[in-house]
Amino acid sequence: MERSRISRRAFSALAGTTVLGLALGGSVSSAALPGSGGPGPVPTGPPPGPPGADGVRHRVALDQYSLLVDGRRLALWSGEMHPFRLPSPSLWRDVLQKMRAYGHNAVGVRLAWNEHSPAPGSYDFTGVRDLDLFLRTAAECSLYVVLDPGPRIGADVDAGGLPGWLTAVDARAGTTDPAYLRHADEWLGRVDAIVARHQFTRGTGTVLLYRSDAPDPAGLDHLREKIRADGIDVPLLHPGTPLAWGEPERTRDAAEARRVHLARLGRGSTLHNVHTAFGGTSWGWLPAPSAPSPTYDPTAAIDEARRPTAKLAPLHQLGHLLRHVPDFTRLDEAPAVKASDARVRVRHLANPDTGAHAYVLRNDSAADVTSTVPMGGGDVEVTVPARDAKLLATGLHLGAGRKLAYATVQPMMSLSVGRLDIAAFVGRAGETAHLVLDCPNEPWPTRLDEEAAWAFDHGELHVIVPLKEDRLTRVRVRSGESDRTLLLLFADDAASLRLWPYETPSGRVLVRGPELLRDVALDGATIRLTGDTVQERELEVWAPRGITDVTWNGQAVEASLGRAQSLMAVWPLPAVPELVLPALDGWRRRTENFESRPDYGDEGWTVADRRTSHGTTPVPEGQPVLFADDYGFHYGDVWYRGRLTGAAGLESVSLSYSTGARGLLMAWLDGEPLGTHQVGPEEDGKGTWTATADFRLPEALRGALRERADAGAAPVLSVLVRRTQHGQDAYRTARGLTSAGFEGASPDVRWRIMGTAAPDPVRGPLNNGGLYGERYGWQLPGYDDGHWEPVSPDSLARQDRRQGVTWYRTTFRLDVPPEVDAPVGLVLDGRGRDLRDHRVQVFLNGWNMGEYAGGRTGAPHTFVLPNGILRTRAAANTLALAVLSGGDTASGPGAVRLELLGSAAGGVPVKPVPSPGAR
């Protein structure tokens, strides 16, 4: 028979609704485990508690099923976060707390070697690069750490994370070349000295796993010997380990995220990683050509402004399922199951210890599919939305002897709180949930919300709930066999994002209502909650016995005991107050590119006269090396000045150059613009783009050259190259100007080159480039721009057309209350303007927030301004924009405004990030 159909008499008792679910099995107690098969080497049981720096040594191992922590199985649900993409250490805590609240028990961390090392032998782990602080914060947030220190990390970072100086030494990265290993070992030694102090095995931190993608056995053996010698004793995770590290590519939306991660669970995986949990900003010159936008991953579950996105719900649900239902830590392939409709593919697994079964249903078709699926001894009717997936379960044990027969919605959590066993099930809004409990004796259900209906029929309790948008439905189940009450919760995606389980030393807690729960502390009879609200929200708390009082963010909350045996706030939690951001005015403007003038003094520039290169790009025959890396200029814009002897009769100039995405070349001869050339949009995303820009000299300029030649003067060819990024793989390919050719004359050329003056000692080596304004501090707070030309905000989009670099500066103040977290963005909007050769570099308080290439996207871009770098407490902020414009492009940045990207009452304390000014 079809198990989703009950008798006409029982169905009538459901008062026109349909069913939902029951407690999810797997919150197995320490009592004898129910099972239907032989136990494995380590049976399924309660997971280890939340990790921390507890001073106790721990054992970490793994077998074919899962990680084993102190002999207990652990399903790892890691989310990747790159600390270097959030240059505000205070906000690391904000993101880590959110990851923990959204179900993660681990954070995957990659380290970018290039961010820490401006030169060979020079390393910096301070400020925004403070690895020790990050690892301490992760431990305080009860998250395991899975560490990937590279040396090459990929991650769409310049050169895959390898330092720029490595392009200019004789060392082949990613090999066992002894010269390379000396540098790589030095880097890993510096990292390992910090990591060793934070290993979970020693009880001094929560670093649980050390990752490596060593390309060959010899490299892996060398790495293993290296890290063990450095005192690293946590497991080394590599492609040959029994458990594969689950790192699927980015997913576009919630449905795809569900398909991808449920597919991995359907293969029995218990080592999951969400790529990327937090997107963050590729600020400065951090991004690789494969992802040149400042916004690293716009599809991340937590976006660049630290806000939850639409993709978060399925990840939140699956994370809490793996965290609170240990049945999923050991799954074997079970006999094949087929749906009645072939468009629904089914993956069937079973836990041999507990007898629980899991069914992953996947629908890759473009239509919703309703089909029957053999589950729990009968055929169950299930609807799987188009291009989506579902996880269903049978046989889950629910605390005090209760067992789930089946449900048409996904289990999310099962936990015991005080005298309650609580099980939550989730589905999509508009779906009808049907949950069936095996009940040998007739139970006493109570409908606590009007949506629910129930009926008892032949030893089964059927519960039916239509899932409404952002609505939680509760059903209480009692029986004579147990003094424990079962509470069933049913939620759609939106409502599930306001369910917050939390583990304390005194027992588990479940909170419903606010937009975020950060922390819970039990203090005598009081439960102290910390978190965020956006709208006015109900607050409902299930807590251990003896808790009678509630505080929220330090304020007492009047609460009473509700029918669901919860503490219900009498009044809603407050919404966040409205904020108004200031308009940006008081702008000042100054043009630069003095380097294009023939009389500019370049005596301090580096002479470009090398004949051999450390890179892989061949040096053009008969020409000197012009590649920027060979002269120590690894990031940002690079200037060239060539003195041409014997240039009389010159008719045209050809300049070959090599860049990553969004590359740009501008040329002048004796101060006269020759033109601008740029990478085509179709080339964005390639590792390297090469081109030759051909410039024919105007007749007037040819005549001027003849006159200068008669006077014995050598004209100057000036070239500015926005060289952008190194590719992640062919990182030693040339960047900058590669060769120059001439027609009408064969001048002898003496070249000089200039890039970044020196790495910023606070902001790091990837912050600055070689523009004149950058070399002389025009981007810094405190620079005296009083002699610059005042311009109105309205005129920013109507500035004159000129080839070259124009700077704009202003200051502004914010006054955000300390109890409010307000992410702020800077919007640059060049719509309606010709922006073919237009680039804007954005600096906030001297920090390079990235590049706007309006001609590429044709759309505005919002630069997230991280709190900490952004002063929000009535302090001055300095905003500087460096605009590169071609001769046919307006030299203004376009419309510029601040935008509130959301706000919440709550947040974490934020310390100002050091932002030294001009001296």
Side-chain angles (χ1 to χ4, degrees), residues 169-195:
V169 298
D170 288 323
R172 292 173 296 155
T175 70
T176 53
D177 171 17
Y180 167 69
L181 290 179
R182 282 195 298 273
H183 293 298
D185 285 353
E186 184 177 57
W187 157 246
L188 292 177
R190 299 296 184 99
V191 171
D192 293 346
I194 299 171
V195 173

Short mmCIF file of all heavy atoms in Angstrom, two decimals, residues 169-195:
data_model
loop_
_atom_site.label_atom_id
_atom_site.label_comp_id
_atom_site.label_asym_id
_atom_site.label_seq_id
_atom_site.Cartn_x
_atom_site.Cartn_y
_atom_site.Cartn_z
N VAL A 169 62.87 34.79 -8.46
CA VAL A 169 63.96 33.96 -7.96
C VAL A 169 63.95 32.65 -8.73
O VAL A 169 62.94 32.26 -9.32
CB VAL A 169 63.83 33.68 -6.44
CG1 VAL A 169 63.90 34.97 -5.65
CG2 VAL A 169 62.54 32.94 -6.13
N ASP A 170 65.07 31.97 -8.73
CA ASP A 170 65.18 30.70 -9.45
C ASP A 170 64.62 29.58 -8.59
O ASP A 170 65.35 28.87 -7.88
CB ASP A 170 66.64 30.42 -9.83
CG ASP A 170 67.12 31.34 -10.94
OD1 ASP A 170 66.32 31.62 -11.85
OD2 ASP A 170 68.27 31.78 -10.88
N ALA A 171 63.32 29.45 -8.59
CA ALA A 171 62.66 28.41 -7.80
C ALA A 171 61.36 28.05 -8.50
O ALA A 171 60.55 28.93 -8.81
CB ALA A 171 62.40 28.90 -6.38
N ARG A 172 61.12 26.78 -8.72
CA ARG A 172 59.91 26.32 -9.43
C ARG A 172 58.89 25.85 -8.41
O ARG A 172 59.04 24.80 -7.79
CB ARG A 172 60.27 25.19 -10.39
CG ARG A 172 61.13 25.65 -11.57
CD ARG A 172 61.60 24.47 -12.38
NE ARG A 172 62.47 23.59 -11.60
CZ ARG A 172 62.63 22.28 -11.86
NH1 ARG A 172 61.96 21.71 -12.84
NH2 ARG A 172 63.46 21.55 -11.11
N ALA A 173 57.86 26.66 -8.24
CA ALA A 173 56.84 26.37 -7.23
C ALA A 173 56.08 25.10 -7.58
O ALA A 173 55.91 24.73 -8.74
CB ALA A 173 55.87 27.54 -7.12
N GLY A 174 55.60 24.43 -6.54
CA GLY A 174 54.80 23.23 -6.72
C GLY A 174 55.61 22.00 -7.09
O GLY A 174 55.04 20.99 -7.52
N THR A 175 56.93 22.06 -6.96
CA THR A 175 57.80 20.94 -7.28
C THR A 175 58.67 20.64 -6.06
O THR A 175 58.59 21.29 -5.03
CB THR A 175 58.70 21.27 -8.48
OG1 THR A 175 59.67 22.26 -8.08
CG2 THR A 175 57.87 21.82 -9.64
N THR A 176 59.53 19.63 -6.22
CA THR A 176 60.50 19.33 -5.17
C THR A 176 61.84 19.98 -5.45
O THR A 176 62.87 19.55 -4.92
CB THR A 176 60.67 17.80 -5.03
OG1 THR A 176 60.97 17.25 -6.32
CG2 THR A 176 59.40 17.16 -4.49
N ASP A 177 61.82 21.02 -6.26
CA ASP A 177 63.02 21.82 -6.52
C ASP A 177 63.57 22.30 -5.17
O ASP A 177 62.86 22.99 -4.41
CB ASP A 177 62.65 23.00 -7.41
CG ASP A 177 63.77 24.02 -7.57
OD1 ASP A 177 64.92 23.68 -7.26
OD2 ASP A 177 63.47 25.15 -7.97
N PRO A 178 64.82 21.97 -4.83
CA PRO A 178 65.36 22.35 -3.51
C PRO A 178 65.29 23.85 -3.24
O PRO A 178 65.04 24.27 -2.10
CB PRO A 178 66.80 21.85 -3.56
CG PRO A 178 66.78 20.73 -4.56
CD PRO A 178 65.77 21.14 -5.59
N ALA A 179 65.50 24.67 -4.28
CA ALA A 179 65.44 26.12 -4.07
C ALA A 179 64.03 26.54 -3.65
O ALA A 179 63.86 27.38 -2.76
CB ALA A 179 65.87 26.85 -5.34
N TYR A 180 63.02 25.95 -4.29
CA TYR A 180 61.65 26.27 -3.91
C TYR A 180 61.32 25.75 -2.52
O TYR A 180 60.70 26.45 -1.70
CB TYR A 180 60.66 25.69 -4.92
CG TYR A 180 59.23 25.72 -4.44
CD1 TYR A 180 58.55 26.92 -4.30
CD2 TYR A 180 58.57 24.53 -4.11
CE1 TYR A 180 57.24 26.94 -3.83
CE2 TYR A 180 57.27 24.55 -3.65
CZ TYR A 180 56.61 25.77 -3.51
OH TYR A 180 55.32 25.78 -3.05
N LEU A 181 61.74 24.52 -2.22
CA LEU A 181 61.42 23.95 -0.92
C LEU A 181 62.03 24.74 0.22
O LEU A 181 61.45 24.82 1.30
CB LEU A 181 61.88 22.49 -0.87
CG LEU A 181 61.10 21.50 -1.75
CD1 LEU A 181 61.67 20.10 -1.61
CD2 LEU A 181 59.61 21.51 -1.39
N ARG A 182 63.19 25.34 -0.01
CA ARG A 182 63.76 26.17 1.04
C ARG A 182 62.83 27.32 1.39
O ARG A 182 62.60 27.63 2.57
CB ARG A 182 65.14 26.70 0.61
CG ARG A 182 66.26 25.69 0.72
CD ARG A 182 67.62 26.37 0.64
NE ARG A 182 67.83 27.06 -0.63
CZ ARG A 182 68.31 26.49 -1.73
NH1 ARG A 182 68.65 25.20 -1.70
NH2 ARG A 182 68.48 27.19 -2.84
N HIS A 183 62.29 27.98 0.36
CA HIS A 183 61.36 29.09 0.62
C HIS A 183 60.05 28.59 1.21
O HIS A 183 59.52 29.17 2.17
CB HIS A 183 61.09 29.84 -0.67
CG HIS A 183 62.27 30.57 -1.23
ND1 HIS A 183 62.90 31.58 -0.56
CD2 HIS A 183 62.94 30.42 -2.40
CE1 HIS A 183 63.90 32.05 -1.28
NE2 HIS A 183 63.95 31.36 -2.41
N ALA A 184 59.51 27.50 0.64
CA ALA A 184 58.23 26.97 1.11
C ALA A 184 58.35 26.48 2.55
O ALA A 184 57.45 26.71 3.38
CB ALA A 184 57.75 25.85 0.20
N ASP A 185 59.44 25.82 2.87
CA ASP A 185 59.62 25.34 4.24
C ASP A 185 59.74 26.49 5.22
O ASP A 185 59.27 26.40 6.37
CB ASP A 185 60.88 24.46 4.32
CG ASP A 185 60.66 23.08 3.69
OD1 ASP A 185 59.51 22.78 3.33
OD2 ASP A 185 61.65 22.33 3.57
N GLU A 186 60.36 27.57 4.80
CA GLU A 186 60.46 28.73 5.68
C GLU A 186 59.08 29.29 5.97
O GLU A 186 58.74 29.62 7.11
CB GLU A 186 61.36 29.80 5.07
CG GLU A 186 61.59 30.99 5.98
CD GLU A 186 62.54 32.01 5.38
OE1 GLU A 186 62.26 32.50 4.26
OE2 GLU A 186 63.56 32.31 6.01
N TRP A 187 58.26 29.40 4.93
CA TRP A 187 56.88 29.86 5.11
C TRP A 187 56.11 28.93 6.05
O TRP A 187 55.50 29.37 7.03
CB TRP A 187 56.18 29.96 3.76
CG TRP A 187 54.69 29.89 3.77
CD1 TRP A 187 53.91 28.91 3.24
CD2 TRP A 187 53.77 30.85 4.33
NE1 TRP A 187 52.58 29.17 3.44
CE2 TRP A 187 52.46 30.36 4.10
CE3 TRP A 187 53.94 32.05 5.01
CZ2 TRP A 187 51.34 31.04 4.53
CZ3 TRP A 187 52.79 32.72 5.43
CH2 TRP A 187 51.52 32.22 5.19
N LEU A 188 56.14 27.63 5.77
CA LEU A 188 55.39 26.69 6.60
C LEU A 188 55.93 26.67 8.02
O LEU A 188 55.16 26.52 8.98
CB LEU A 188 55.45 25.29 5.99
CG LEU A 188 54.71 25.11 4.66
CD1 LEU A 188 54.90 23.71 4.13
CD2 LEU A 188 53.23 25.44 4.80
N GLY A 189 57.23 26.85 8.18
CA GLY A 189 57.79 26.90 9.52
C GLY A 189 57.24 28.05 10.33
O GLY A 189 56.94 27.90 11.53
N ARG A 190 57.08 29.22 9.69
CA ARG A 190 56.51 30.37 10.40
C ARG A 190 55.05 30.11 10.76
O ARG A 190 54.59 30.46 11.85
CB ARG A 190 56.63 31.63 9.53
CG ARG A 190 58.04 32.02 9.18
CD ARG A 190 58.86 32.40 10.41
NE ARG A 190 60.19 32.87 10.06
CZ ARG A 190 60.54 34.15 9.98
NH1 ARG A 190 59.66 35.09 10.25
NH2 ARG A 190 61.76 34.50 9.63
N VAL A 191 54.30 29.51 9.83
CA VAL A 191 52.90 29.18 10.10
C VAL A 191 52.79 28.13 11.19
O VAL A 191 52.02 28.26 12.15
CB VAL A 191 52.20 28.70 8.81
CG1 VAL A 191 50.81 28.14 9.13
CG2 VAL A 191 52.11 29.82 7.80
N ASP A 192 53.58 27.07 11.07
CA ASP A 192 53.47 25.95 12.00
C ASP A 192 53.82 26.36 13.42
O ASP A 192 53.28 25.81 14.39
CB ASP A 192 54.38 24.81 11.54
CG ASP A 192 53.90 24.17 10.24
OD1 ASP A 192 52.76 24.44 9.84
OD2 ASP A 192 54.69 23.43 9.62
N ALA A 193 54.73 27.32 13.57
CA ALA A 193 55.07 27.78 14.92
C ALA A 193 53.86 28.37 15.63
O ALA A 193 53.74 28.29 16.86
CB ALA A 193 56.20 28.82 14.84
N ILE A 194 52.95 28.97 14.86
CA ILE A 194 51.71 29.52 15.44
C ILE A 194 50.67 28.42 15.60
O ILE A 194 50.05 28.28 16.66
CB ILE A 194 51.17 30.66 14.55
CG1 ILE A 194 52.19 31.80 14.45
CG2 ILE A 194 49.84 31.16 15.07
CD1 ILE A 194 51.84 32.85 13.42
N VAL A 195 50.51 27.60 14.57
CA VAL A 195 49.47 26.57 14.58
C VAL A 195 49.72 25.56 15.69
O VAL A 195 48.77 25.08 16.33
CB VAL A 195 49.41 25.88 13.20
CG1 VAL A 195 48.46 24.69 13.23
CG2 VAL A 195 48.98 26.88 12.14
#
